[in-house]
Amino acid sequence: MISYLTLVTDKVKKHFQKVMRQEEVSEIWFEYEGTPLKWHYPIGLLFDLHASNTALPWSITVHFKNFPEKDLLHCHSKDVIEAHFMACIKEADALKHKSQVINEMQKKDHKQLWMGLQNDKFEQFWAINRKLMEYPPEDSGFRYIPFRIYQAATERPFIQKLFRPIASGGQLHTLGDLLKDVCPSAITPEDGEMKTQVMIHGIEPMLETPIQWLSEHMSYPDNFLHISIIPQPTD
């Protein structure tokens, strides 16, 4: 769930290409109940946004033609995914450490992050990524929290802004504080009844959870907290 669709579907492509004429195959893309799935979003985020109240395994549709140009970016190779992934890592470190950690790493360290994710080797990935999750003890946390908030009920892109993990008075900011500041509609009940759920990695964290703790322990491999705001299930 932390990887990308276009990384984990080689077997799917091979399976279908055996029974299709080559001229029928153009760029592969995926869809769930009429919604094209953005390959540059992690799989877990896509599931939270579009299918979090459905049973597993998740059934999605594979397409080989009629690529939806208006909805999806092209992904011609794994190099494109790697470039996107590393751009996110660098942006997150710019927020957390003014890019000091990622800039001190060598090219082989960057490659180890990517290969660890691509090959599902956690120890290989974490040996490098743990450095990106550290901060000086006198700071009590990161400079800013790398986060993106996605709203299932809107077509707008994600919300992202500068947000510090520690308030000016020294107290820890919580997930509730972040949402109150950035997306208050997510936690303000309508008519006294909550209409939305806040999801990260398929769970609904307590709003009292310190945002620094969430950033350290529930960020995706790209070092961002991907937070989904979805409608409450009706059943």
Side-chain angles (χ1 to χ4, degrees):
M1 297 293 266
I2 59 172
S3 191
Y4 300 90
L5 278 172
T6 35
L7 274 188
V8 299
T9 48
D10 281 347
K11 288 179 183 172
V12 173
K13 293 180 202 174
K14 282 175 188 160
H15 171 78
F16 283 113
Q17 284 173 340
K18 285 176 193 167
V19 295
M20 295 179 72
R21 291 196 299 273
Q22 197 54 43
E23 63 270 17
E24 293 178 328
V25 177
S26 59
E27 190 170 347
I28 191 170
W29 59 282
F30 306 90
E31 167 247 310
Y32 174 69
E33 293 190 347
T35 302
L37 297 174
K38 294 178 168 65
W39 65 262
H40 60 292
Y41 286 10
I43 298 169
L45 167 61
L46 290 170
F47 185 78
D48 283 352
L49 269 177
H50 301 297
S52 56
N53 294 305
T54 63
L56 290 170
W58 187 20
S59 296
I60 61 177
T61 305
V62 184
H63 293 273
F64 286 90
K65 47 189 177 182
N66 303 323
F67 188 87
E69 302 276 349
K70 290 182 181 175
D71 299 305
L72 299 181
L73 299 171
H74 286 285
C75 179
H76 295 301
S77 72
K78 287 182 180 174
D79 291 343
V80 178
I81 315 169
E82 180 181 1
H84 168 74
F85 173 73
M86 286 310 305
C88 289
I89 291 251
K90 289 173 182 176
E91 182 180 349
D93 196 54
L95 291 166
K96 290 193 285 190
H97 310 111
K98 298 186 183 176
S99 299
Q100 289 168 351
V101 178
I102 198 77
N103 287 346
E104 285 172 7
M105 290 180 182
Q106 298 178 15
K107 181 77 174 169
K108 67 179 178 62
D109 298 325
H110 297 182
K111 203 71 185 174
Q112 186 171 328
L113 279 170
W114 168 245
M115 295 308 291
L117 172 68
Q118 182 179 312
N119 299 325
D120 198 24
K121 300 261 201 263
F122 176 76
E123 295 301 333
Q124 181 182 1
F125 171 82
W126 189 249
I128 304 299
N129 196 66
R130 64 177 179 76
K131 300 170 189 172
L132 295 163
M133 288 296 168
E134 293 170 350
Y135 52 85
E138 65 271 16
D139 286 356
S140 305
F142 301 139
R143 186 164 159 261
Y144 295 106
I145 297 293
F147 74 90
R148 289 171 180 169
I149 292 176
Y150 307 77
Q151 294 169 282
T154 177
E155 291 298 309
R156 289 181 303 174
F158 56 75
I159 302 169
Q160 181 177 346
K161 66 180 283 192
L162 296 177
F163 189 83
R164 292 188 183 275
I166 314 292
S168 54
Q171 67 271 33
L172 293 173
H173 274 144
T174 65
L175 175 60
D177 293 329
L178 172 70
L179 293 169
K180 204 180 299 174
D181 182 57
V182 178
C183 190
S185 60
I187 56 172
T188 307
E190 291 180 28
D191 308 323
E193 187 181 346
M194 283 295 291
K195 296 289 175 69
T196 59
Q197 282 179 299
V198 180
M199 304 287 285
I200 308 174
H201 284 296
I203 67 169
E204 202 170 355
M206 293 188 298
L207 296 179
E208 299 80 18
T209 311
I211 199 73
Q212 174 67 35
W213 187 92
L214 285 173
S215 187
E216 290 179 52
H217 298 281
M218 294 195 70
S219 289
Y220 277 79
D222 63 6
N223 277 235
F224 271 85
L225 267 179
H226 294 289
I227 304 167
S228 299
I229 312 296
I230 61 170
Q232 281 276 14
T234 50
D235 50 8

